[in-house]
Amino acid sequence: MSSEDNLLPLIVEPEQLAEHLDAPSLLIVDVPLRPDSYAEGHVPGAVFLDHRRLLRSEGETPTDVPSAEALSRLFSELGLTRDTHVVAYDDEGGGWAGRLLWTLELIGHSRYSYLNGGIHAWRESDQPVSREPHTPTPSDYQAEILHPEVRIDRVELQERLGEPGLAIWDARSRAEYDGQRGNNRRLGHIPGAVNFEWTEAMDRERGLRLRDYAELVTELEALGLTPDMEVVTHCQSHHRSGFTWLVGRALGFTKMRGYGGSWQEWGNRDDTPIE
């Protein structure tokens, strides 16, 4: 499906969204880091999503994508249909919203947008805020992983380390990347990974919107990340890297992939190489 078919662009500004709040095909999802954020005020008509439901939360890779059954339940509760255009946002500049959009891309639902800057930019733009909870009309959505190439697992990543054309974008803090911080058995980073912390892509002066695209592309290219490459992004739980996956997509990187296991998996094994 081409973006021309979509109601809104991938990155939508508060003013643009405000003009479409009554569109019947629109599903606005608030997926905040801080659960109280929704009750304190949200985009009118937005539904609340507990971000924990975007994680498998069990087994060896608790941060990976949930089962198709769990995703079917989740998106049915949210009222998702094939014609729905989802607008996701959060209260932290795009981490959990990005993770939601990555999940939608995985199941082949390409009608989606990110509210640039989330609730911060929405409030700073003097847009209306609601405190009334909005309950979606349930649907019967059968989710299946239609775009498996959007994710990568540890086995494939480990086999392909050092391959030309494959790059790894570590979205964690510099201290985590350098092995000075972390709660894992082993600290450090995946060999060959480059570090560009997720918050570096946010403009703190403009309500946490994405920074200037040309500047971001220049900075990423200086690290060896170019739009023609296959770029794997990760953090500790593929939450911060939900945003960097989205940033890559916005900048025209066509082969962005998310490593759901992230450092939670890589750093807690004995058989993974670490720098």
Side-chain angles (χ1 to χ4, degrees):
M1 181 181 299
S2 70
S3 57
E4 287 77 29
D5 299 332
N6 285 343
L7 181 65
L8 296 165
L10 174 62
I11 307 297
V12 63
E13 295 300 328
E15 299 76 14
Q16 286 174 293
L17 179 58
E19 292 173 8
H20 288 87
L21 287 181
D22 297 328
S25 64
L26 204 61
L27 173 63
I28 307 172
V29 183
D30 186 335
V31 54
L33 177 68
R34 219 170 37 82
D36 294 345
S37 170
Y38 181 79
E40 289 165 6
H42 50 264
V43 175
V47 301
F48 170 78
L49 171 58
D50 182 340
H51 62 74
R52 291 172 296 186
R53 297 193 63 186
L54 297 171
L55 304 174
R56 183 177 290 270
S57 300
E58 60 189 12
E60 285 188 5
T61 51
T63 61
D64 212 341
V65 70
S67 67
E69 293 76 24
L71 291 177
S72 295
R73 282 196 302 275
L74 170 62
F75 289 121
S76 293
E77 285 174 33
L78 288 176
L80 190 67
T81 71
R82 296 287 169 202
D83 300 322
T84 305
H85 189 103
V86 177
V87 175
Y89 74 91
D90 57 41
D91 60 341
E92 47 152 10
W96 286 118
R99 172 78 189 222
L100 170 58
L101 300 184
W102 175 75
T103 306
L104 288 171
E105 183 67 27
L106 263 177
I107 63 171
H109 189 94
S110 54
R111 295 175 185 262
Y112 59 72
S113 303
Y114 169 61
L115 172 58
N116 201 5
I119 196 65
H120 296 284
W122 183 262
R123 288 177 182 274
E124 284 183 19
S125 304
D126 295 321
Q127 298 298 337
V129 171
S130 169
R131 290 183 180 81
E132 292 295 312
H134 185 76
T135 308
T137 304
S139 61
D140 181 18
Y141 194 93
Q142 296 303 312
E144 47 184 325
I145 305 297
L146 297 175
H147 291 167
E149 69 281 0
V150 178
R151 67 185 284 269
I152 189 169
D153 63 15
R154 176 191 56 81
V155 175
E156 182 187 347
L157 184 55
Q158 210 164 329
E159 284 173 354
R160 297 181 60 199
L161 283 184
E163 189 178 295
L166 180 78
I168 303 172
W169 176 350
D170 187 330
R172 297 176 301 160
S173 67
R174 188 75 205 188
E176 288 169 279
Y177 175 83
D178 287 340
Q180 295 164 352
R181 274 188 56 213
N183 298 317
N184 305 77
R185 290 218 314 265
R186 300 162 71 208
L187 304 179
H189 58 267
I190 298 173
V194 296
N195 181 229
F196 190 83
E197 185 175 358
W198 69 309
T199 56
E200 291 295 312
M202 300 174 199
D203 189 339
R204 297 173 194 280
E205 306 300 314
R206 298 180 58 246
L208 303 184
R209 287 176 177 84
L210 271 70
R211 282 179 46 216
D212 178 79
Y213 285 15
E215 285 181 15
L216 283 173
V217 166
T218 300
E219 289 173 26
L220 292 172
E221 284 186 345
L223 293 171
L225 302 176
T226 55
D228 58 314
M229 300 182 84
E230 187 179 341
V231 178
V232 172
T233 188
H234 80 89
C235 55
Q236 171 72 15
S237 62
H238 194 35
H239 151 229
R240 291 172 281 182
S241 56
F243 178 62
T244 52
W245 174 84
L246 177 65
V247 169
R249 292 293 300 268
L251 296 178
F253 286 64
T254 54
K255 292 178 282 194
M256 287 297 300
R257 304 180 72 182
Y259 170 32
S262 274
W263 197 258
Q264 170 99 12
E265 178 184 26
W266 197 277
N268 282 320
R269 296 180 64 96
D270 299 321
D271 59 352
T272 42
I274 286 175
E275 279 183 355

